[in-house]
Amino acid sequence: LASSAAHVAGRPVVTSESFVSVNLENAALSAQDLYLLSARAFVAGINRLVFHGFAYDYPTADGRRWFPFAPAQDRVSAGPLRITSEFTAEHDIWPELNDFTLYVSRMGEALTQGEHMASIAWLMPEREVADSISLVSGGVAAKSGESDISSFIHGQGFDYDRVSPEQLLTSSVMNDALSIGNASYSILLVDGFEAADPAWLAKILEVQDSGVPVVWIGELPSRARGYYDHTSRDASVSELNQQLEQKVIMTSLSDLGLGLEQTAVEAPLTTL
């Protein structure tokens, strides 16, 4: 979400507080965890990593240590959760911490030298709280936490940004590209949802009619959002659904590859 917002806003530098963990034994992500988490952030479009929770560890007047993110009997802490790794000489990354920091810095700088390219604008009608929480509990598994749709898109050689309905409503189409803020896209992807504002559906039809293919995964909405004037607005959704069925590329996750092929948009990367 952070990188998507930055791309739409035209901001070249995207930052994220990184290496957050929850209640790990000994409060330590492993060296491998740190490399995996940094790579995951880079792949997501983050190009400036902020190491989480490295406060100064100093003694208080009563002899306890102040370290706000790792509570212990002999410490003054900001809360009950252990939410950071303690980088001391006992941590297995310590011998290579300078090299790791240099790698993070050089990679972040390199990722700001080019121009962002995402072929797909993926509509996000609701805040997906569960999917947006990426706190680590018990170490890191490679490729964990990515949704099936995201994984499939990347596997096909495409990249995407998440866009909101408000951003979609202010978008325009020029030269077969969907322009949203400072970003432009070749495909609009819609993951099926139960309720929709009729204005969203009308805009999706406008995008399709203007020359940008729309790929719709799953079912069309069954009703309008909200209760106000719901009878007529539900009827509008039903009417717009009939047009959507005729015009957009309707598919499922299992057939998403075929759906993307029907757009005739070439993937920027070829996978082997």
Side-chain angles (χ1 to χ4, degrees):
L1 294 183
S3 60
S4 295
H7 299 152
V8 170
R11 301 289 195 270
V13 175
V14 192
T15 187
S16 175
E17 192 171 11
S18 305
F19 314 124
V20 182
S21 60
V22 178
N23 286 340
L24 287 184
E25 288 295 326
N26 302 317
L29 292 165
S30 70
Q32 182 183 26
D33 290 340
L34 295 172
Y35 278 104
L36 283 169
L37 286 171
S38 63
R40 183 176 298 174
F42 292 141
V43 169
I46 306 298
N47 52 38
R48 293 293 186 276
L49 305 188
V50 178
F51 285 54
H52 168 78
F54 299 119
Y56 289 104
D57 187 355
Y58 62 87
T60 60
D62 62 2
R64 293 186 297 167
R65 307 292 292 183
W66 163 254
F67 194 83
F69 306 111
Q73 290 292 330
D74 60 345
R75 286 179 176 163
V76 178
S77 181
L81 287 179
R82 187 183 295 273
I83 54 174
T84 192
S85 287
E86 296 178 57
F87 283 70
T88 65
E90 287 72 39
H91 195 291
D92 66 348
I93 194 83
W94 190 260
E96 55 181 303
L97 187 57
N98 286 344
D99 288 341
F100 178 73
T101 304
L102 181 62
Y103 140 71
V104 167
S105 301
R106 288 173 62 88
M107 183 65 74
E109 178 64 21
L111 289 172
T112 62
Q113 299 307 301
E115 182 177 349
H116 171 69
M117 291 179 58
S119 303
I120 298 174
W122 182 3
L123 185 64
M124 188 174 183
E126 304 287 355
R127 179 165 175 79
E128 300 166 1
V129 177
D131 289 343
S132 66
I133 295 175
S134 57
L135 299 178
V136 176
S137 179
V140 182
K143 299 185 179 180
S144 65
E146 186 174 17
S147 72
D148 291 339
I149 293 176
S150 175
S151 179
F152 188 88
I153 291 172
H154 287 148
Q156 295 296 304
F158 288 97
D159 198 5
Y160 64 84
D161 284 334
R162 300 307 301 265
V163 300
S164 70
E166 290 75 16
Q167 291 171 329
L168 176 64
L169 291 174
T170 61
S171 67
S172 61
V173 175
M174 183 177 296
N175 298 325
D176 295 331
L178 177 65
S179 296
I180 301 178
N182 288 271
S184 62
Y185 308 94
S186 302
I187 301 170
L188 175 61
L189 179 69
V190 184
D191 184 13
F193 41 87
E194 181 180 354
D197 190 311
W200 302 354
L201 305 182
K203 184 66 177 183
I204 291 170
L205 283 166
E206 178 187 319
V207 169
Q208 174 72 47
D209 290 341
S210 298
V212 174
V214 177
V215 178
W216 191 297
I217 305 172
E219 301 295 328
L220 291 167
S222 61
R223 59 179 176 82
R225 287 165 54 92
Y227 186 74
Y228 173 75
D229 195 22
H230 63 89
T231 301
S232 63
R233 293 173 66 249
D234 286 350
S236 295
V237 167
S238 180
E239 293 174 4
L240 290 164
N241 279 348
Q242 295 179 30
Q243 299 179 56
L244 287 166
E245 286 182 325
Q246 299 299 317
K247 294 186 176 182
V248 306
I249 300 171
M250 300 294 300
T251 187
S252 62
L253 177 58
S254 60
D255 291 327
L256 181 54
L258 179 59
L260 292 175
E261 285 182 11
Q262 291 181 56
T263 68
V265 175
E266 186 176 349
L269 296 176
T270 300
T271 58
L272 301 177

